Amino acid sequence: AKAEGRDMYAFFSLSMTSRARAVLQVRHELRRAVERGQFVLHYQPQVDLRSGRIVGAEALVRWQHPERGLIYPGSFIGIAEDCGLIEPLGAWVMHEACRQNKAWQDAGLPPLIMAVNLSARQFQRNQVEQLTGEAIAASGLAPEWLELEITEGMVMQNVELAIEVMQRLVATGVRLSIDDFGTGYSSLSYLKRFPIDKLKIDQSFVRDLGQSGNNPAIVTAIIALAKSMELKVIADGVEDQSQMAYLRRQGCDEIQGYYLSKPVGAERFAPLLAADGHY
Ligand code: C2E
Ligand code: CA
Ligand code: CA
């Protein structure tokens, strides 16, 4: 048993070492990728359930790794936050999303609201409204066509400060939405004080909708809450017709999800927008 323990320890420490090495390697590659601009934004449509029209798009970042191909944000955003790379990466995302939205408008496509994800760190550092202002100015996009997605967790760490940051952002003319709504712990009394436009129902609640026997109570409650507070409400992660039908019956304003489209590159998004109304 003792030998076994030692082996286990040896194995453990070896794997720890290689894990630590892997983290360092990824950081190194990520830093280089930021310097070289090896990222691309994909866009996922947000569709109004009454008109069937695309009214928004969420910008989602991907890393175009020269050897490993397209890497999804789940495997690098956290690392970028840990090693201070989220600021330059987040700045690139903000500028590129605004630039692209303005380019579509200039090309005569129907205007839409571009939603950009903020990381906790970007939100806590006070430069987020400066960055937003710079991206708006550089692109020439009117600020009402930009929406920033923040999560409950980002806000609840320091509510009073967060409300100030949100108010300063809103003063620049952009919109705010609360992402992953229902998974955090925002108290309803605070929610009333947030200068937000929209709630985004988290995918985990939407997923339950299709399953027979599962209780749609949370989705129904969030939609009712949004209505009573005169907020728009969008359901994320809609994957099938029955989920869409349920959300429409409940009066949900908008949906986003694979059922309509996966996130796609700009060159594939533009035709979706041009064919507007086909959903
Ligand atoms: P999120 O903000 O909750 O974004 C929605 C995620 O769900 C996206 O994954 C999207 O591709 C995926 N999704 C959309 N519809 C469906 C569906 O019907 N079914 C399923 N199973 N998934 C769906 P993605 O692009 O991998 O992004 C993951 C997360 O990475 C995002 O979650 C967001 O938190 C973060 N992220 C992405 N881009 C950025 C960025 O530019 N900045 C920051 N700070 N975070 C980002
Ligand atoms: Ca989001
Ligand atoms: Ca989510």
Side-chain angles (χ1 to χ4, degrees):
K2 221 169 187 175
E4 205 180 290
R6 243 192 335 265
D7 286 349
M8 279 301 287
Y9 179 72
F11 174 77
F12 187 65
S13 62
L14 177 69
S15 67
M16 281 299 280
T17 308
S18 57
R19 202 191 119 72
R21 253 200 230 113
V23 168
L24 285 179
Q25 176 69 16
V26 175
R27 283 186 184 187
H28 169 72
E29 290 184 17
L30 199 54
R31 181 158 291 118
R32 215 173 41 189
V34 169
E35 284 161 12
R36 296 180 183 176
Q38 293 172 341
F39 296 91
V40 66
L41 292 184
H42 281 187
Y43 303 92
Q44 191 175 32
Q46 302 180 330
V47 167
D48 182 292
L49 277 175
R50 267 166 238 97
S51 66
R53 293 238 151 91
I54 297 176
V55 290
E58 179 173 7
L60 296 155
V61 69
R62 278 92 180 84
W63 177 3
Q64 287 179 302
H65 195 285
E67 290 107 39
R68 284 185 264 175
L70 212 60
I71 303 179
Y72 287 83
S75 43
F76 65 86
I77 288 288
I79 297 173
E81 287 217 319
D82 289 344
C83 63
L85 286 170
I86 197 69
E87 280 92 353
L89 178 58
W92 179 81
V93 168
M94 185 78 81
H95 276 268
E96 177 60 12
C98 290
R99 187 203 62 75
Q100 182 61 74
N101 201 17
K102 183 66 162 71
W104 283 330
Q105 289 184 4
D106 287 349
L109 292 165
L112 55 75
I113 294 173
M114 179 71 76
V116 172
N117 291 282
L118 288 185
S119 80
R121 208 164 138 145
Q122 275 181 297
F123 188 71
Q124 282 148 11
R125 301 288 166 95
N126 263 338
Q127 306 130 343
V128 66
E129 85 245 33
Q130 192 188 328
L131 169 62
T132 305
E134 284 165 4
I136 291 287
S139 62
L141 183 73
E144 71 254 37
W145 300 111
L146 176 63
E147 182 171 87
L148 305 178
E149 297 194 356
I150 56 187
T151 64
E152 289 168 276
M154 286 159 58
V155 170
M156 293 314 288
Q157 285 178 8
N158 184 341
V159 180
E160 296 304 327
L161 185 66
I163 291 174
E164 273 176 41
V165 176
M166 287 193 279
Q167 280 167 344
R168 286 206 301 271
L169 282 169
V170 165
T172 70
V174 303
R175 303 163 198 262
L176 299 178
S177 72
I178 302 283
D179 203 1
D180 300 347
F181 189 77
T183 61
Y185 301 92
S186 60
S187 98
L188 298 183
S189 60
Y190 284 133
L191 193 61
K192 229 169 32 186
R193 296 178 53 208
F194 296 165
I196 54 172
D197 224 59
K198 200 191 256 188
L199 297 180
K200 259 190 120 162
I201 305 174
D202 189 63
Q203 300 184 5
S204 58
F205 306 125
V206 176
R207 196 167 305 133
D208 287 348
L209 287 180
Q211 274 31 328
S212 59
N214 265 331
N215 195 338
I218 294 178
V219 168
T220 309
I222 295 176
I223 294 171
L225 175 70
K227 300 268 157 205
S228 76
M229 298 184 71
E230 293 176 1
L231 298 173
K232 270 193 286 177
V233 59
I234 180 169
D236 198 2
V238 174
E239 291 188 349
D240 63 43
Q241 154 73 35
S242 72
Q243 292 166 346
M244 182 176 78
Y246 180 84
L247 290 158
R248 179 179 276 138
R249 277 199 305 278
Q250 295 298 313
C252 188
D253 299 306
E254 297 171 15
I255 59 169
Q256 174 182 341
Y258 291 173
Y259 181 61
L260 300 174
S261 171
K262 292 199 169 182
V264 294
E267 67 297 338
R268 285 177 64 200
F269 189 89
L272 292 180
L273 198 50
D276 203 13
H278 82 149
Y279 286 107

